[in-house]
Coordinates of all heavy atoms in Angstrom, one line a residue:
M227 N 27.6 28.6 2.9 CA 27.6 27.3 3.5 C 26.2 26.8 3.9 O 25.8 25.8 3.5 CB 28.6 27.3 4.5 CG 28.7 26.0 5.2 SD 29.8 24.8 4.4 CE 30.0 23.5 5.7
M228 N 25.6 27.7 4.6 CA 24.1 27.4 5.1 C 23.3 27.3 4.0 O 22.4 26.4 4.1 CB 23.7 28.5 6.0 CG 22.5 28.2 6.8 SD 22.8 26.6 7.8 CE 22.5 27.3 9.4
A229 N 23.3 28.0 2.9 CA 22.4 27.8 1.7 C 22.5 26.5 1.1 O 21.6 25.9 0.5 CB 22.6 28.9 0.7
R230 N 23.9 25.9 1.1 CA 24.1 24.6 0.3 C 23.5 23.5 1.2 O 23.1 22.5 0.7 CB 25.5 24.4 0.3 CG 26.2 25.4 -0.7 CD 27.7 25.2 -0.7 NE 28.2 23.8 -1.0 CZ 29.4 23.5 -0.9 NH1 30.4 24.3 -0.6 NH2 29.7 22.3 -1.2
I231 N 23.2 23.7 2.4 CA 22.6 22.7 3.3 C 21.1 22.9 3.3 O 20.3 22.0 3.3 CB 23.1 22.7 4.7 CG1 24.6 22.3 4.6 CG2 22.4 21.8 5.6 CD1 25.3 22.4 5.9
A232 N 20.7 24.1 3.3 CA 19.2 24.4 3.5 C 18.3 24.0 2.4 O 17.3 23.5 2.6 CB 19.0 26.0 3.7
L233 N 18.7 24.1 1.1 CA 17.9 23.7 -0.1 C 17.7 22.2 0.0 O 16.6 21.6 -0.2 CB 18.6 24.2 -1.3 CG 17.7 23.9 -2.6 CD1 16.3 24.6 -2.4 CD2 18.5 24.4 -3.8
P234 N 18.8 21.3 0.0 CA 18.6 19.9 0.0 C 17.7 19.4 1.3 O 16.9 18.5 1.2 CB 20.0 19.3 0.1 CG 20.8 20.3 -0.4 CD 20.3 21.6 0.0
L235 N 17.9 20.1 2.5 CA 17.3 19.8 3.6 C 15.7 20.2 3.4 O 14.9 19.3 3.8 CB 17.8 20.5 4.9 CG 17.0 20.3 6.2 CD1 17.3 18.8 6.5 CD2 17.7 21.1 7.3
A236 N 15.4 21.3 2.8 CA 14.0 21.7 2.6 C 13.4 20.6 1.7 O 12.2 20.3 1.8 CB 14.0 23.1 2.0
A237 N 14.1 20.3 0.6 CA 13.6 19.2 -0.3 C 13.3 17.9 0.4 O 12.2 17.3 0.2 CB 14.5 19.0 -1.5
L238 N 14.2 17.6 1.1 CA 14.0 16.2 1.9 C 12.9 16.3 2.9 O 12.1 15.4 2.9 CB 15.3 15.9 2.8 CG 15.3 14.6 3.5 CD1 15.1 13.5 2.6 CD2 16.5 14.6 4.4
L239 N 12.6 17.5 3.6 CA 11.5 17.5 4.4 C 10.2 17.5 3.8 O 9.1 17.1 4.1 CB 11.7 18.8 5.3 CG 12.8 18.8 6.4 CD1 12.9 20.1 7.0 CD2 12.6 17.7 7.4
A240 N 10.2 18.1 2.5 CA 8.9 18.2 1.6 C 8.6 16.8 1.1 O 7.5 16.5 1.2 CB 9.2 19.2 0.5
V241 N 9.5 16.1 0.8 CA 9.3 14.7 0.3 C 8.8 13.7 1.5 O 7.9 13.0 1.3 CB 10.5 14.2 -0.3 CG1 10.4 12.6 -0.6 CG2 10.9 14.9 -1.7
A242 N 9.4 14.0 2.7 CA 9.0 13.2 3.8 C 7.7 13.6 4.3 O 6.9 12.7 4.6 CB 10.0 13.4 5.0
G243 N 7.3 14.8 4.2 CA 5.9 15.3 4.6 C 4.9 14.8 3.7 O 3.9 14.3 4.1
A244 N 5.2 14.8 2.3 CA 4.2 14.4 1.4 C 4.0 12.8 1.5 O 2.9 12.4 1.5 CB 4.7 14.6 -0.1
L245 N 5.2 12.1 1.6 CA 5.1 10.7 1.9 C 4.2 10.2 3.1 O 3.4 9.4 3.3 CB 6.5 10.1 2.0 CG 6.5 8.5 2.2 CD1 5.9 7.8 1.0 CD2 8.0 8.0 2.5
G246 N 4.5 11.0 4.3 CA 3.7 10.8 5.5 C 2.2 11.2 5.3 O 1.4 10.4 5.9
L247 N 1.9 12.3 4.6 CA 0.6 12.5 4.4 C -0.2 11.4 3.6 O -1.3 10.9 3.8 CB 0.4 13.9 3.7 CG -1.1 14.4 3.3 CD1 -1.8 14.5 4.6 CD2 -0.9 15.6 2.4
W248 N 0.5 11.0 2.5 CA 0.1 9.9 1.6 C -0.3 8.6 2.4 O -1.3 8.0 2.3 CB 0.9 9.6 0.5 CG 0.5 8.6 -0.5 CD1 -0.5 8.7 -1.3 CD2 1.0 7.3 -0.7 NE1 -0.7 7.5 -2.1 CE2 0.4 6.7 -1.7 CE3 2.2 6.7 -0.1 CZ2 0.6 5.3 -2.0 CZ3 2.4 5.4 -0.5 CH2 1.6 4.7 -1.5
L249 N 0.7 8.2 3.1 CA 0.6 7.0 4.0 C -0.5 7.1 5.0 O -1.2 6.2 5.4 CB 1.9 6.5 4.7 CG 2.9 6.0 3.7 CD1 4.3 5.8 4.4 CD2 2.5 4.8 3.0
G250 N -0.5 8.3 5.6 CA -1.6 8.6 6.6 C -3.1 8.5 6.1 O -4.0 7.9 6.7
L251 N -3.2 9.1 4.9 CA -4.6 9.0 4.3 C -4.9 7.5 3.8 O -6.0 7.2 3.9 CB -4.6 9.8 3.1 CG -4.5 11.4 3.4 CD1 -4.5 12.2 2.1 CD2 -5.8 11.8 4.2
R252 N -3.9 6.8 3.5 CA -4.2 5.3 3.1 C -4.5 4.5 4.4 O -5.3 3.5 4.3 CB -2.9 4.7 2.5 CG -2.7 5.1 1.1 CD -1.6 4.4 0.4 NE -1.6 3.0 0.9 CZ -1.3 2.1 0.0 NH1 -0.8 2.3 -1.2 NH2 -1.4 0.8 0.5
A253 N -4.0 4.9 5.5 CA -4.4 4.1 6.7 C -5.8 4.5 7.4 O -6.1 3.8 8.3 CB -3.2 4.5 7.8
A254 N -6.4 5.6 6.9 CA -7.8 5.9 7.4 C -8.8 4.9 6.9 O -8.9 4.6 5.6 CB -8.1 7.2 7.1
P255 N -9.6 4.3 7.8 CA -10.7 3.4 7.3 C -11.7 4.1 6.6 O -11.9 5.4 6.8 CB -11.2 2.8 8.6 CG -10.8 3.7 9.7 CD -9.5 4.4 9.3
P256 N -12.4 3.4 5.7 CA -13.5 4.1 4.9 C -14.6 4.6 5.8 O -15.0 4.0 6.9 CB -14.0 3.0 4.0 CG -13.6 1.8 4.7 CD -12.4 2.0 5.4
T257 N -15.4 5.6 5.4 CA -16.6 6.1 6.2 C -17.7 5.2 6.1 O -17.7 4.2 5.2 CB -17.0 7.5 5.6 OG1 -17.4 7.4 4.3 CG2 -15.8 8.5 5.7
E258 N -18.7 5.3 6.9 CA -19.9 4.5 6.9 C -20.5 4.6 5.5 O -21.0 3.5 4.9 CB -20.8 4.8 7.9 CG -20.5 4.3 9.3 CD -19.5 5.1 10.0 OE1 -19.1 6.3 9.4 OE2 -19.1 4.7 11.1
T259 N -20.5 5.8 4.9 CA -21.3 6.0 3.6 C -20.5 5.3 2.5 O -21.2 4.7 1.7 CB -21.3 7.6 3.3 OG1 -22.0 8.2 4.4 CG2 -21.9 7.8 2.0
E260 N -19.2 5.3 2.5 CA -18.5 4.6 1.5 C -18.7 3.0 1.6 O -18.9 2.4 0.6 CB -16.9 4.9 1.7 CG -16.5 6.3 1.4 CD -15.2 6.6 1.8 OE1 -14.6 6.0 2.7 OE2 -14.6 7.6 1.1
I261 N -18.7 2.6 2.9 CA -19.0 1.1 3.0 C -20.4 0.8 2.5 O -20.6 -0.2 1.7 CB -19.0 0.7 4.5 CG1 -17.4 0.8 4.9 CG2 -19.4 -0.7 4.7 CD1 -17.3 0.5 6.4
I262 N -21.4 1.6 2.8 CA -22.7 1.3 2.3 C -22.8 1.4 0.8 O -23.5 0.5 0.1 CB -23.8 2.3 2.9 CG1 -23.8 2.1 4.4 CG2 -25.2 2.2 2.3 CD1 -24.4 3.2 5.2
N263 N -22.2 2.4 0.2 CA -22.2 2.6 -1.3 C -21.6 1.4 -2.1 O -22.1 0.9 -3.0 CB -21.5 3.9 -1.7 CG -22.4 5.1 -1.3 OD1 -23.5 5.0 -1.1 ND2 -21.7 6.2 -1.3
V264 N -20.4 0.9 -1.5 CA -19.7 -0.3 -2.1 C -20.7 -1.5 -2.2 O -20.9 -2.2 -3.1 CB -18.4 -0.5 -1.4 CG1 -17.9 -1.9 -1.8 CG2 -17.4 0.6 -1.7
H265 N -21.3 -1.7 -1.0 CA -22.1 -2.9 -0.8 C -23.5 -2.9 -1.5 O -24.0 -3.8 -2.0 CB -22.2 -3.5 0.7 CG -20.8 -3.8 1.1 ND1 -20.3 -5.0 0.8 CD2 -19.9 -3.3 2.0 CE1 -19.1 -5.1 1.3 NE2 -18.8 -4.1 2.0
A266 N -24.0 -1.6 -1.6 CA -25.2 -1.5 -2.2 C -25.0 -1.7 -3.8 O -25.7 -2.2 -4.5 CB -25.8 0.0 -2.0
A267 N -23.8 -1.2 -4.3 CA -23.5 -1.4 -5.7 C -23.3 -2.9 -6.0 O -23.7 -3.4 -7.0 CB -22.2 -0.6 -6.1
R268 N -22.7 -3.7 -5.0 CA -22.6 -5.1 -5.3 C -24.0 -5.8 -5.1 O -24.2 -6.6 -5.9 CB -21.7 -5.6 -4.0 CG -21.2 -7.0 -4.2 CD -20.4 -7.5 -3.1 NE -21.1 -8.5 -2.5 CZ -21.2 -8.8 -1.2 NH1 -20.6 -8.0 -0.4 NH2 -21.9 -9.7 -0.7
Y269 N -24.9 -5.3 -4.4 CA -26.2 -5.8 -4.2 C -27.0 -5.4 -5.7 O -27.6 -6.5 -6.1 CB -27.0 -5.1 -3.1 CG -28.5 -5.2 -3.2 CD1 -29.2 -6.3 -2.9 CD2 -29.3 -4.2 -3.6 CE1 -30.6 -6.5 -3.0 CE2 -30.6 -4.2 -3.8 CZ -31.3 -5.4 -3.5 OH -32.7 -5.5 -3.5
V270 N -26.8 -4.4 -6.2 CA -27.5 -4.1 -7.5 C -26.9 -5.0 -8.6 O -27.6 -5.5 -9.3 CB -27.3 -2.6 -7.8 CG1 -27.7 -2.3 -9.3 CG2 -28.0 -1.6 -6.8
A271 N -25.5 -5.1 -8.5 CA -24.9 -6.0 -9.6 C -25.4 -7.5 -9.4 O -25.5 -8.1 -10.4 CB -23.4 -5.9 -9.3
E272 N -25.5 -8.0 -8.2 CA -25.8 -9.4 -8.0 C -27.4 -9.6 -8.2 O -27.7 -10.8 -8.6 CB -25.6 -9.8 -6.6 CG -24.1 -10.0 -6.4 CD -23.6 -10.4 -5.0 OE1 -24.5 -10.6 -4.1 OE2 -22.5 -10.3 -4.7
T273 N -28.2 -8.7 -7.8 CA -29.6 -9.0 -7.8 C -30.5 -8.2 -8.8 O -31.7 -8.5 -9.1 CB -30.2 -8.8 -6.4 OG1 -30.1 -7.4 -6.1 CG2 -29.5 -9.6 -5.3
G274 N -29.9 -7.0 -9.3 CA -30.6 -6.2 -10.2 C -31.6 -5.2 -9.4 O -32.4 -4.6 -10.0
G275 N -31.5 -5.2 -8.1 CA -32.3 -4.3 -7.3 C -31.8 -2.8 -7.4 O -31.1 -2.4 -8.4
E276 N -32.4 -2.0 -6.5 CA -32.0 -0.6 -6.6 C -31.1 -0.2 -5.3 O -31.1 -0.9 -4.3 CB -33.3 0.3 -6.5 CG -34.1 0.0 -7.7 CD -35.3 0.9 -7.8 OE1 -35.2 2.0 -7.3 OE2 -36.3 0.6 -8.4
L277 N -30.3 0.8 -5.6 CA -29.5 1.4 -4.5 C -30.3 1.8 -3.3 O -29.9 1.7 -2.2 CB -28.6 2.5 -5.0 CG -27.5 2.2 -6.1 CD1 -26.9 3.5 -6.6 CD2 -26.4 1.4 -5.3
L278 N -31.4 2.3 -3.5 CA -32.2 2.9 -2.5 C -32.9 1.9 -1.6 O -33.5 2.1 -0.6 CB -33.3 3.8 -2.9 CG -32.9 5.0 -3.7 CD1 -34.0 5.8 -4.2 CD2 -32.1 5.9 -2.7
D279 N -32.8 0.6 -1.9 CA -33.2 -0.6 -1.1 C -32.3 -0.7 0.1 O -32.7 -1.5 0.9 CB -33.2 -1.8 -1.9 CG -34.3 -1.8 -3.1 OD1 -35.2 -1.0 -3.0 OD2 -34.2 -2.7 -4.0
C280 N -31.2 -0.1 0.1 CA -30.1 -0.5 1.1 C -30.0 0.5 2.2 O -30.1 1.8 1.9 CB -28.7 -0.6 0.4 SG -28.9 -2.0 -0.9
F281 N -29.6 0.1 3.3 CA -29.4 0.9 4.5 C -28.4 0.1 5.3 O -28.1 -1.1 5.1 CB -30.5 1.3 5.2 CG -31.4 0.3 5.8 CD1 -31.1 -0.1 7.2 CD2 -32.2 -0.4 5.0 CE1 -31.9 -1.1 7.7 CE2 -33.0 -1.4 5.6 CZ -32.8 -1.8 7.0
A282 N -27.8 0.8 6.4 CA -27.0 0.0 7.3 C -27.3 0.3 8.8 O -27.8 1.3 9.0 CB -25.5 0.4 7.0
V283 N -26.9 -0.7 9.6 CA -27.1 -0.5 11.1 C -25.7 -0.8 11.7 O -25.0 -1.7 11.2 CB -28.2 -1.3 11.6 CG1 -29.6 -1.0 11.1 CG2 -27.9 -2.8 11.4
P284 N -25.4 0.0 12.9 CA -24.2 -0.5 13.5 C -24.4 -1.9 14.2 O -25.6 -2.2 14.4 CB -24.1 0.7 14.6 CG -25.4 1.2 14.7 CD -26.2 0.9 13.4
S285 N -23.3 -2.5 14.4 CA -23.3 -3.8 14.9 C -22.7 -3.9 16.4 O -21.9 -3.1 16.6 CB -22.5 -4.8 14.0 OG -22.4 -6.1 14.7
G286 N -23.4 -4.7 17.2 CA -22.9 -5.0 18.5 C -22.0 -6.2 18.6 O -21.5 -6.4 19.7
V287 N -21.8 -6.8 17.6 CA -21.0 -8.0 17.6 C -19.5 -7.7 17.4 O -19.1 -6.8 16.5 CB -21.3 -8.9 16.4 CG1 -20.5 -10.2 16.3 CG2 -22.9 -9.4 16.6
E288 N -18.6 -8.1 18.1 CA -17.2 -7.8 18.0 C -16.6 -8.2 16.7 O -16.9 -9.3 16.1 CB -16.3 -8.6 19.0 CG -14.9 -8.2 19.2 CD -14.2 -8.9 20.2 OE1 -14.8 -9.2 21.4 OE2 -13.0 -8.9 20.2
G289 N -15.9 -7.3 16.0 CA -15.3 -7.5 14.8 C -16.2 -7.2 13.5 O -15.8 -7.3 12.4
V290 N -17.4 -6.7 13.8 CA -18.4 -6.3 12.8 C -18.7 -4.9 13.1 O -19.2 -4.4 14.1 CB -19.6 -7.2 12.8 CG1 -20.6 -6.7 11.8 CG2 -19.3 -8.7 12.7
R291 N -18.4 -4.0 12.0 CA -18.6 -2.6 12.2 C -20.1 -2.2 11.8 O -20.9 -1.5 12.5 CB -17.6 -1.8 11.4 CG -17.9 -0.3 11.3 CD -16.8 0.4 10.5 NE -17.0 1.7 10.4 CZ -16.2 2.6 9.7 NH1 -15.2 2.0 9.0 NH2 -16.3 3.9 9.6
L292 N -20.5 -2.6 10.6 CA -21.7 -2.3 10.1 C -22.4 -3.6 9.4 O -21.7 -4.5 8.9 CB -21.7 -1.3 9.0 CG -21.5 0.1 9.3 CD1 -21.2 1.0 8.0 CD2 -22.4 0.7 10.1
I293 N -23.7 -3.7 9.5 CA -24.5 -4.6 8.6 C -25.2 -3.8 7.6 O -26.1 -3.0 8.0 CB -25.4 -5.5 9.6 CG1 -24.6 -6.1 10.7 CG2 -26.2 -6.4 8.8 CD1 -25.4 -6.8 11.7
V294 N -24.9 -4.1 6.4 CA -25.7 -3.5 5.3 C -26.8 -4.3 4.9 O -26.6 -5.6 4.7 CB -24.7 -3.3 4.0 CG1 -25.4 -2.7 2.9 CG2 -23.4 -2.4 4.5
I295 N -28.0 -3.8 4.9 CA -29.1 -4.5 4.7 C -29.8 -4.0 3.4 O -30.1 -2.7 3.3 CB -30.2 -4.4 5.9 CG1 -29.4 -5.0 7.1 CG2 -31.5 -5.2 5.6 CD1 -30.2 -4.6 8.3
C296 N -30.2 -4.8 2.5 CA -31.0 -4.3 1.3 C -32.2 -5.1 1.3 O -32.2 -6.3 1.2 CB -30.2 -4.6 0.0 SG -28.6 -3.7 -0.1
E297 N -33.4 -4.3 1.3 CA -34.7 -5.0 1.4 C -35.6 -4.5 0.2 O -36.2 -3.4 0.4 CB -35.4 -4.8 2.7 CG -34.7 -5.4 3.9 CD -35.4 -5.2 5.2 OE1 -35.9 -4.0 5.4 OE2 -35.6 -6.1 6.0
P298 N -35.6 -5.3 -0.9 CA -36.5 -4.7 -1.8 C -38.0 -5.0 -1.5 O -38.4 -5.9 -0.6 CB -36.2 -5.7 -3.1 CG -35.6 -6.9 -2.5 CD -35.0 -6.5 -1.2
E299 N -38.9 -4.2 -2.0 CA -40.4 -4.3 -1.6 C -40.9 -5.7 -2.0 O -40.8 -6.0 -3.3 CB -41.2 -3.2 -2.3 CG -41.7 -2.2 -1.4 CD -42.6 -1.2 -2.1 OE1 -43.7 -1.5 -2.5 OE2 -42.0 0.0 -2.2
G300 N -41.3 -6.5 -1.2 CA -42.0 -7.7 -1.5 C -40.9 -8.9 -1.9 O -41.2 -9.9 -2.3
G301 N -39.7 -8.6 -1.7 CA -38.5 -9.5 -2.0 C -37.9 -9.9 -0.8 O -38.1 -9.6 0.4
E302 N -36.8 -10.8 -0.9 CA -36.0 -11.4 0.2 C -34.8 -10.4 0.6 O -34.3 -9.8 -0.3 CB -35.4 -12.7 -0.3 CG -34.7 -13.4 0.8 CD -34.3 -14.8 0.4 OE1 -35.0 -15.4 -0.4 OE2 -33.2 -15.2 0.8
A303 N -34.6 -10.3 1.8 CA -33.6 -9.4 2.2 C -32.2 -9.8 1.9 O -32.0 -11.0 1.9 CB -33.8 -9.1 3.7
W304 N -31.3 -8.8 1.7 CA -29.9 -9.2 1.5 C -29.0 -8.6 2.5 O -29.3 -7.3 2.8 CB -29.6 -8.7 0.0 CG -28.2 -8.9 -0.5 CD1 -27.9 -10.0 -1.2 CD2 -27.1 -8.1 -0.4 NE1 -26.5 -9.8 -1.6 CE2 -25.9 -8.7 -1.2 CE3 -26.9 -6.9 0.2 CZ2 -24.7 -8.1 -1.2 CZ3 -25.5 -6.3 0.2 CH2 -24.6 -6.9 -0.5
Y305 N -28.2 -9.3 3.1 CA -27.3 -8.8 4.2 C -25.8 -8.8 3.8 O -25.4 -9.7 3.1 CB -27.5 -9.6 5.4 CG -28.8 -9.5 5.8 CD1 -29.8 -10.6 5.5 CD2 -29.4 -8.6 6.7 CE1 -31.1 -10.6 6.0 CE2 -30.7 -8.5 7.2 CZ -31.7 -9.6 6.8 OH -32.8 -9.5 7.2
A306 N -25.0 -7.9 4.4 CA -23.6 -7.9 4.3 C -23.0 -7.4 5.7 O -23.2 -6.2 6.0 CB -22.9 -7.2 3.2
A307 N -22.4 -8.3 6.4 CA -21.8 -7.8 7.8 C -20.2 -7.4 7.3 O -19.6 -8.2 6.8 CB -21.8 -9.0 8.7
T308 N -19.9 -6.2 7.7 CA -18.6 -5.7 7.4 C -17.7 -5.5 8.6 O -18.2 -5.0 9.6 CB -18.7 -4.5 6.4 OG1 -19.3 -3.4 7.2 CG2 -19.5 -4.8 5.2
D309 N -16.4 -5.5 8.3 CA -15.5 -5.1 9.4 C -15.1 -3.7 9.4 O -15.7 -2.9 8.5 CB -14.2 -6.1 9.4 CG -13.4 -5.9 8.1 OD1 -13.7 -4.9 7.3 OD2 -12.4 -6.6 7.9
E310 N -14.1 -3.3 10.0 CA -13.6 -1.9 10.1 C -13.3 -1.3 8.8 O -13.4 -0.1 8.5 CB -12.5 -1.8 11.1 CG -12.0 -0.3 11.4 CD -13.0 0.4 12.3 OE1 -13.8 0.0 12.9 OE2 -13.0 1.8 12.0
W311 N -12.8 -2.2 7.9 CA -12.4 -1.6 6.6 C -13.3 -1.9 5.4 O -13.1 -1.7 4.3 CB -11.0 -2.4 6.2 CG -10.0 -2.0 7.1 CD1 -9.6 -2.7 8.3 CD2 -9.1 -0.7 7.1 NE1 -8.5 -1.8 8.9 CE2 -8.3 -0.8 8.2 CE3 -9.1 0.3 6.1 CZ2 -7.5 0.3 8.4 CZ3 -8.2 1.3 6.5 CH2 -7.4 1.2 7.7
G312 N -14.6 -2.4 5.8 CA -15.6 -2.6 4.8 C -15.6 -3.9 4.2 O -16.4 -4.2 3.2
V313 N -14.8 -4.9 4.6 CA -14.7 -6.1 4.1 C -15.6 -7.0 4.7 O -16.0 -6.9 5.9 CB -13.3 -6.7 4.2 CG1 -13.1 -8.1 3.8 CG2 -12.2 -5.9 3.7
V314 N -16.4 -7.8 3.9 CA -17.5 -8.7 4.4 C -16.8 -9.8 5.3 O -15.9 -10.4 5.1 CB -18.2 -9.4 3.2 CG1 -19.1 -10.5 3.7 CG2 -18.8 -8.4 2.3
V315 N -17.5 -9.9 6.5 CA -17.0 -10.8 7.5 C -17.8 -12.2 7.2 O -19.1 -12.1 7.2 CB -17.3 -10.3 8.9 CG1 -16.9 -11.3 10.0 CG2 -16.6 -9.0 9.2
E316 N -17.2 -13.2 6.9 CA -17.7 -14.4 6.5 C -18.3 -15.1 7.8 O -19.4 -15.7 7.7 CB -16.8 -15.4 5.8 CG -16.4 -14.8 4.5 CD -17.5 -14.6 3.5 OE1 -18.4 -15.4 3.5 OE2 -17.3 -13.7 2.5
D317 N -17.5 -15.2 8.8 CA -18.0 -16.0 10.0 C -18.3 -15.1 11.1 O -17.3 -14.6 11.8 CB -16.8 -17.1 10.4 CG -17.2 -18.0 11.5 OD1 -18.3 -18.1 11.7 OD2 -16.3 -18.4 12.3
V318 N -19.5 -14.9 11.4 CA -19.9 -14.0 12.6 C -20.5 -14.8 13.7 O -21.4 -15.6 13.5 CB -21.0 -12.9 12.1 CG1 -21.4 -12.1 13.3 CG2 -20.4 -12.1 10.9
S319 N -19.7 -14.8 14.8 CA -20.2 -15.7 16.0 C -21.0 -14.7 16.9 O -20.4 -13.7 17.5 CB -19.0 -16.2 16.8 OG -18.2 -16.9 15.8
V320 N -22.3 -15.1 17.2 CA -23.1 -14.2 18.0 C -23.2 -15.0 19.2 O -23.6 -16.2 19.2 CB -24.5 -13.9 17.3 CG1 -25.3 -13.2 18.2 CG2 -24.3 -13.3 16.1
P321 N -23.1 -14.5 20.4 CA -23.3 -15.2 21.6 C -24.8 -15.7 21.8 O -25.7 -15.1 21.1 CB -23.0 -14.2 22.7 CG -22.2 -13.1 22.1 CD -22.6 -13.2 20.6
E322 N -24.9 -16.8 22.4 CA -26.3 -17.5 22.5 C -27.3 -16.6 23.2 O -28.5 -16.7 22.9 CB -26.2 -19.0 23.2 CG -25.5 -19.9 22.3 CD -25.4 -21.3 22.9 OE1 -26.3 -21.6 23.7 OE2 -24.5 -22.0 22.5
D323 N -26.8 -15.8 24.2 CA -27.7 -15.1 25.0 C -28.0 -13.8 24.2 O -28.9 -12.9 24.7 CB -27.2 -14.7 26.3 CG -25.9 -13.8 26.2 OD1 -25.5 -13.4 25.1 OD2 -25.3 -13.5 27.3
G324 N -27.5 -13.5 23.0 CA -27.9 -12.5 22.1 C -27.3 -11.1 22.4 O -27.6 -10.1 21.9
T325 N -26.3 -11.1 23.4 CA -25.7 -9.9 23.8 C -24.4 -9.6 23.0 O -23.8 -10.5 22.6 CB -25.5 -9.7 25.3 OG1 -24.7 -10.7 25.7 CG2 -26.8 -9.6 25.9

C-alpha cells in the first residue's frame, strides 16, 4: 500500500521542485556584466563602434541601476540608463540639487 503512494508522491515532488527551480531562476535579475554586454552590443549595432568603448557606472538615481556609457576615441558619448532588469529607463528625473 505504501509503495503505491510513494512513487506518485515522489514524481509529484520532483516535478514541483523542477518547476520551482525554473521559476526561481527566471525571477533573478541579470548581472551587471549581462546588462553591459546587451547594451554594448546595441551600441555596436547602432553606431558601428567597438564593444571595448563601453563601461558602466552605478547610479544614485532611484529606479536606475546602471548607466552604460560608450565613449569612442574622439567621438560623441552614448548613454543608456537601465533599471534593475536591464531595461532602458526613458524618463530619468534627477533632483535639482544633484543628490
Side-chain angles (χ1 to χ4, degrees):
M227 174 87 168
M228 189 59 114
R230 292 175 55 186
I231 295 173
L233 187 58
L235 181 60
L238 180 63
L239 289 175
V241 169
L245 180 63
L247 179 63
W248 180 70
L249 290 173
L251 291 175
R252 284 186 42 147
T257 64
E258 284 81 4
T259 302
E260 291 169 337
I261 293 172
I262 295 167
N263 288 340
V264 165
H265 292 290
R268 196 177 111 219
Y269 162 77
V270 170
E272 289 177 5
T273 67
E276 295 186 29
L277 290 173
L278 294 177
D279 293 340
C280 301
F281 62 96
V283 294
S285 172
V287 178
E288 187 176 337
V290 178
R291 178 178 178 185
L292 287 175
I293 300 173
V294 180
I295 304 166
C296 300
E297 293 182 314
E299 249 182 75
E302 188 175 327
W304 181 93
Y305 301 93
T308 63
D309 66 6
E310 185 70 23
W311 294 97
V313 177
V314 174
V315 178
E316 297 294 330
D317 182 26
V318 179
S319 302
V320 180
E322 288 185 27
D323 63 0
T325 58

